[in-house]
Amino acid sequence: MTSDSATPRSEEMEPAFLVPDVDDPDTRDFWLGCARGELLVQSCGECGRRRMPPRPMCPSCRSLETTWHPTSGRATVWSFVVAHPPLLPAYAAVAPYNVIVVALDDDPTIRFVGNLVEDADAPLDSVDPATVEIGEPVSVVFADVDGVTLPRWVRT
Amino acid sequence: MHAYAQSIPAQHQVMTNFFTEDPLVGPSWACADLLWRQAVVGPDDVDVAQLYDAFSPLIPLSLEGYGFCGRGEGAAFTDGGALEWPDGRLPTNTSGGGMSEAYVHGFNLVLEGVRQIRGTSTSQVGDATVSLVTSGEGVPTSAVLFVGEPS
Ligand SMILES: [Zn+2]
């Protein structure tokens, strides 16, 4: 950082959610799946082992061959936290809210980090965080957030 | 210095270890395996420990990882003043550690681990001859074991 113009002052920052780079070569297929309403998991093209998060090489056999497979989108809550400020402005506005880790029913060693919400387009604080329970069943839904389709979770 | 080890387990992701087959088994387990293999002493022989405590949960996880108790038993291990100086089962962070002495990335823990072996700590543990110092659980980690002569 050498010039003041490179660092916007906080009051000039747009309050916005952080969205992922959907054009990363390792994760592009995952985000394309989300846009179609499918929760995809990467698998090794040689030995078939699933892996999450996506990455170029299989940890079992070191193959660089990759395939993608749809999942049932059903999962259980493995753990969760409740986020409180200080947070970035867009998140502070909806705090406290939950952040959950879910384990897929198809393969419980495959986990995703996300939010439990009332329905796909509901705000992050739409589920009372005091009611979230480890082990409760959830299903994936998809929401458009600032132009990116993100997976979220609802109770089943 | 009796033994030292450093480790990062396969497929570990720093501070976001939700994705391994058992997210509750972290780098300390792999580091402990290397450390104890080099040592003529084991967890039961440790007189005093300095466990990296940048976050409170690192203490129970480190107790589990270095073999003072089993997986999931770290919190219960601390019951009944087990980590307290001078009479606990395993006096821990006797100079205050990262939370109560200084956060200098664990250097102070190494100093205190040496003082315990030299008999010069302000919170000296009796005749401490085996002193463990660890780096942080949840990230690529390391540990050192100091062993002194019985006085
Ligand atoms: Zn493979």
Side-chain angles (χ1 to χ4, degrees):
Chain A
M1 300 279 181
T2 52
S3 80
D4 288 346
S5 61
T7 314
R9 301 209 315 274
S10 60
E11 62 266 35
E12 294 169 347
M13 289 174 70
E14 286 289 314
F17 291 108
L18 300 174
V19 292
D21 173 9
V22 295
D23 205 27
D24 176 89
D26 292 327
T27 58
R28 185 191 297 124
D29 288 313
F30 176 80
W31 299 115
L32 288 171
C34 288
R36 294 195 303 271
E38 289 184 316
L39 187 73
L40 302 184
V41 169
Q42 192 185 36
S43 298
C44 174
E46 299 273 343
C47 76
R49 180 175 163 168
R50 296 184 180 100
R51 60 184 189 259
M52 172 69 198
R55 48 201 184 278
M57 183 180 282
C58 174
S60 293
C61 74
R62 302 183 184 176
S63 169
L64 293 169
E65 298 297 318
T66 289
T67 58
W68 292 86
H69 299 283
T71 66
S72 67
R74 286 191 290 275
T76 56
V77 175
W78 184 81
S79 190
F80 68 96
V81 295
V82 179
H84 298 271
L87 296 161
L88 292 172
Y91 295 87
V94 290
Y97 58 87
N98 69 75
V99 181
I100 61 174
V101 178
V102 303
L104 276 192
D105 287 0
D106 304 26
D107 181 345
T109 67
I110 298 296
R111 302 182 194 88
F112 289 86
V113 179
N115 304 103
L116 184 65
V117 287
E118 196 61 42
D119 59 69
D121 297 313
L124 285 188
D125 60 349
S126 55
V127 167
D128 177 358
T131 66
V132 181
E133 288 186 14
I134 289 172
E136 67 173 307
V138 294
S139 289
V140 74
V141 289
F142 296 94
D144 183 88
V145 177
D146 295 343
V148 174
T149 308
L150 295 182
R152 298 169 136 192
W153 303 88
V154 295
R155 287 174 166 141
T156 46
Chain B
M1 188 186 299
H2 177 72
Y4 66 92
Q6 54 185 359
S7 180
I8 175 170
Q11 301 306 307
H12 174 70
Q13 298 206 31
V14 174
M15 292 198 201
T16 56
N17 203 33
F18 321 119
F19 302 109
T20 53
E21 286 192 17
D22 186 350
L24 296 180
V25 169
S28 295
W29 276 253
C31 189
D33 184 49
L34 292 172
L35 184 77
W36 298 128
R37 265 197 271 163
Q38 296 176 51
V40 300
V41 293
D44 290 345
D45 302 308
V46 175
D47 297 312
V48 58
Q50 315 300 321
L51 306 178
Y52 187 92
D53 60 340
F55 303 100
S56 307
L58 302 186
I59 298 283
L61 289 170
S62 297
L63 290 167
E64 296 173 19
Y66 287 93
F68 296 102
C69 56
R71 179 187 175 284
E73 297 171 0
F77 181 93
T78 68
D79 284 350
L83 305 190
E84 288 177 13
W85 180 80
D87 297 322
R89 181 172 163 194
L90 182 69
T92 294
N93 293 1
T94 44
S95 62
M99 288 190 157
S100 301
E101 183 188 27
Y103 183 70
V104 281
H105 293 265
F107 282 109
N108 51 322
L109 302 181
V110 179
L111 288 175
E112 176 65 5
V114 171
R115 285 189 206 109
Q116 287 288 351
I117 291 304
R118 291 180 175 173
T120 59
S121 172
T122 54
S123 304
Q124 185 62 42
V125 173
D127 295 322
T129 55
V130 180
S131 169
L132 173 69
V133 180
T134 72
S135 186
E137 161 59 15
V139 293
T141 196
S142 57
V144 59
L145 197 58
F146 300 112
V147 174
E149 300 293 325
S151 58

